[in-house]
Amino acid sequence: MEDMKYFYELYTKLPRGGPGDNASTRKAYKLMKNVPSNPNILDIGCGPGIQTLELARISKGKIIALDNYQPFLDKLMQNAKKEGLNHQIIPKNQSMLEMDFDDNTFDVIWSEGALYFMGFQNGLKKCNQLLRENGYLVVTEAVYLLPDPPQPVLQFWEQEYPDISDIDNRNKLIEKAGFNLISHFTLSKSSWIDNFYNPMEISIRELKEKYQGNQIGLSVFETSQNEIAIYKQYSDYFGYEFFIMQKT
């Protein structure tokens, strides 16, 4: 699809592939107990890999960074080489829907803002299979933070991620999938605005100038601009929740 060309061009310009920050990545990691030294980690949907680099710094382990867009992986490995972390990271160009790892392989599976592509319940099931006994799954997942979201919020998520629900619902699915929920916390609004949407708005302005008259490209950029507007107006109603869980 031609529109994906412009979507990827926009996202390749961004420092992060979604809302987040290194402090939250570190906080989530520290909530796991008795993680093996030099753990075997899978980062699903790593994107340009800001969190992958942070995981390499704090874990000292080996990380398979999985994404199906090669320029993201190239960007990750360029940055990893600059920091001397490239020996810890193995890039793998593969869709998360086609993962072919053996069961009981990983000590930790990580996914910031990406597991929803599999559907939350399906993602939990697959990750449970891939984790070793007492392994950890750590994800950020879009959730409703308040009841009765306004209609514009419902319409946005109906298009973006119809499976979105509240935190209690996610907690129940986690338990049902064979995990013990260790902890969870909500990403700060600055994780969205400062680290994701502000850089995106700068890139949108540049790309709109570059693609003047290109209706497909301009439509992609306008959709992203509308996403930013929805968040800025209704950020009390939804966000990303960090879930830290252990295979039982």
Side-chain angles (χ1 to χ4, degrees), residues 17-221:
D21 60 84
N22 283 348
S24 295
T25 297
R26 290 193 300 272
K27 178 180 177 179
Y29 193 91
K30 289 178 181 178
L31 287 167
M32 299 186 295
K33 305 301 180 185
N34 300 317
V35 177
S37 56
N38 311 118
N40 193 18
I41 300 174
L42 171 65
D43 186 2
I44 296 177
C46 65
I50 293 293
Q51 77 290 334
T52 317
L53 296 172
E54 189 64 16
L55 287 172
R57 295 184 197 106
I58 59 182
S59 73
K60 312 302 181 186
K62 290 287 187 180
I63 304 170
I64 294 179
L66 184 133
D67 204 280
N68 63 353
Y69 187 58
Q70 188 62 41
F72 284 157
L73 297 174
D74 293 341
K75 184 176 181 179
L76 164 60
M77 296 312 295
Q78 288 169 5
N79 290 328
K81 189 173 182 179
K82 289 176 184 177
E83 293 196 41
L85 299 171
N86 51 304
H87 65 285
Q88 291 179 246
I89 300 172
I90 303 168
K92 185 174 178 66
N93 188 328
Q94 186 179 58
S95 167
M96 67 180 72
L97 302 177
E98 300 172 352
M99 292 188 293
D100 55 2
F101 306 107
D102 292 337
D103 290 353
N104 308 306
T105 294
F106 298 101
D107 300 301
V108 178
I109 297 179
W110 202 274
S111 184
E112 295 195 25
L115 196 69
Y116 77 95
F117 281 108
M118 301 179 70
F120 191 66
Q121 193 166 9
N122 290 336
L124 292 175
K125 180 180 178 181
K126 181 62 176 179
C127 290
N128 190 294
Q129 294 171 351
L130 297 179
L131 282 169
R132 292 172 177 160
E133 185 177 356
N134 298 319
Y136 285 93
L137 173 61
V138 184
V139 303
T140 58
E141 167 78 351
V143 295
Y144 287 131
L145 300 172
L146 292 174
D148 303 318
Q151 193 62 31
V153 174
L154 294 174
Q155 290 174 344
F156 169 76
W157 285 107
E158 181 62 33
Q159 296 179 353
E160 184 71 18
Y161 182 34
D163 195 37
I164 187 174
S165 189
D166 58 27
I167 294 171
D168 285 344
N169 175 274
R170 291 306 182 232
N171 291 346
K172 291 174 183 176
L173 287 179
I174 287 169
E175 182 179 353
K176 185 178 179 180
F179 289 98
N180 177 32
L181 181 64
I182 303 300
S183 187
H184 63 91
F185 61 91
T186 306
L187 281 183
S188 68
K189 292 182 181 181
S190 67
S191 298
W192 292 71
I193 299 297
D194 297 338
N195 296 341
F196 186 50
Y197 284 147
N198 284 348
M200 181 182 285
E201 286 192 300
I202 294 171
S203 294
I204 287 172
R205 288 196 294 269
E206 294 173 351
L207 291 170
K208 280 184 173 180
E209 182 71 21
K210 177 180 178 180
Y211 290 107
Q212 289 184 58
N214 184 319
Q215 294 306 311
I216 296 176
L218 292 176
S219 176
V220 171
F221 308 141

